[in-house]
Amino acid sequence: DAGVTQSPTHLIKTRGQHVTLRCSPISGHKSVSWYQQVLGQGPQFIFQYYEKEERGRGNFPDRFSARQFPNYSSELNVNALLLGDSALYLCASSLVGGHEQYFGPGTRLTVT
Amino acid sequence: ILNVEQSPQSLHVQEGDSTNFTCSFPSSNFYALHWYRWETAKSPEALFVMTLNGDEKKKGRISATLNTKEGYSYLYIKGSQPEDSATYLCASNSGYSTLTFGKGTMLLVSP
């Protein structure tokens, strides 16, 4: 079985640009969560989606948005990129009502 | 808001040594405690999920305990091997699937 997949693996953007990160959950998992991991810190929760609806949001500005598609894949969008948005963005999927999350390898975003 | 703390921040041991890490978390509104093992350039790998006070779980040479009343969990590695070198993350959640992570303990095992 394929695990959680994320694309792209690495990305370099310029301040002010927009970025879209993609995540495909494990087959059968209907919930997707996004986390940001900055060097030296633990992953921080950004969004959780289930059945195409936002079920939770962390303490991130409105420049961050996400959506979930009918096939349960998800996109994370970040507008007006800042240098501080440089981080590893992790996606995790879980079963409905389950509390064990499975992580993808992440997308490394560098903002210059 | 849950604050999860891990100690030590990093640890360097010799092959064959046994070691342990600590994770502390607020005990109010507790639902589950998670341990992950994260190797560089790979996905965080789930080790254990524990929910009940007094839970003890074991996977090979790695084991974990949980005390929800006082808000801490220990992760033990018996006879460390170089392949155990990784960052060990703990996370807590209070009902929904969102996790609050600690900063992790970076373990280096030298041959």
Side-chain angles (χ1 to χ4, degrees):
Chain A
D1 278 345
V4 177
T5 58
Q6 292 186 242
S7 64
T9 305
H10 296 91
L11 202 53
I12 299 175
K13 289 285 189 177
T14 304
R15 276 178 299 176
Q17 285 188 318
H18 162 90
V19 68
T20 297
L21 310 181
R22 295 177 176 83
C23 172
S24 292
I26 290 171
S27 177
H29 285 192
K30 297 183 178 181
S31 180
V32 169
S33 297
W34 287 94
Y35 295 84
Q36 181 196 64
Q37 197 251 343
V38 174
L39 199 62
Q41 303 293 319
Q44 270 205 296
F45 169 69
I46 311 175
F47 286 110
Q48 184 192 37
Y49 273 78
Y50 167 62
E51 289 289 7
K52 298 174 289 180
E53 289 189 11
E54 183 182 303
R55 298 300 175 124
R57 183 186 182 113
N59 188 24
F60 280 82
D62 291 344
R63 299 183 296 108
F64 287 76
S65 63
R67 55 180 176 167
Q68 188 176 33
F69 299 99
N71 66 353
Y72 304 110
S73 67
S74 177
E75 283 183 355
L76 176 69
N77 297 284
V78 187
N79 291 323
L81 285 166
L82 303 174
L83 294 178
D85 296 331
S86 296
L88 180 70
Y89 289 85
L90 292 164
C91 171
S93 74
S94 59
L95 290 167
V96 174
H99 47 73
E100 185 161 7
Q101 295 196 10
Y102 298 84
F103 283 84
T107 293
R108 173 73 62 188
L109 172 64
T110 301
V111 182
T112 62
Chain B
I1 297 176
L2 297 176
N3 291 311
V4 178
E5 303 288 339
Q6 289 189 248
S7 62
Q9 183 177 352
S10 63
L11 198 54
H12 184 186
V13 302
Q14 296 298 310
E15 182 175 357
D17 288 348
S18 292
T19 187
N20 65 84
F21 322 134
T22 302
C23 173
S24 62
F25 55 90
S27 52
S28 60
N29 298 319
F30 172 82
Y31 185 72
L33 191 284
H34 308 247
W35 282 101
Y36 287 87
R37 178 175 178 274
W38 195 4
E39 289 183 76
T40 302
K42 294 187 178 179
S43 307
E45 173 196 355
L47 290 174
F48 305 113
V49 180
M50 295 182 289
T51 57
L52 299 177
N53 186 44
D55 258 354
E56 292 188 26
K57 298 219 171 175
K58 187 175 181 181
K59 184 184 290 188
R61 294 179 291 98
I62 305 177
S63 60
T65 61
L66 179 67
N67 182 321
T68 61
K69 293 183 179 178
E70 297 182 38
Y72 64 84
S73 174
Y74 294 133
L75 186 79
Y76 301 92
I77 302 178
K78 184 178 179 182
S80 301
Q81 300 295 310
E83 56 265 32
D84 295 329
S85 297
T87 295
Y88 291 82
L89 290 168
C90 77
S92 181
N93 66 309
S94 58
Y96 290 100
S97 293
T98 61
L99 302 178
T100 300
F101 283 88
K103 294 182 180 181
T105 293
M106 188 182 302
L107 173 67
L108 178 62
V109 183
S110 296

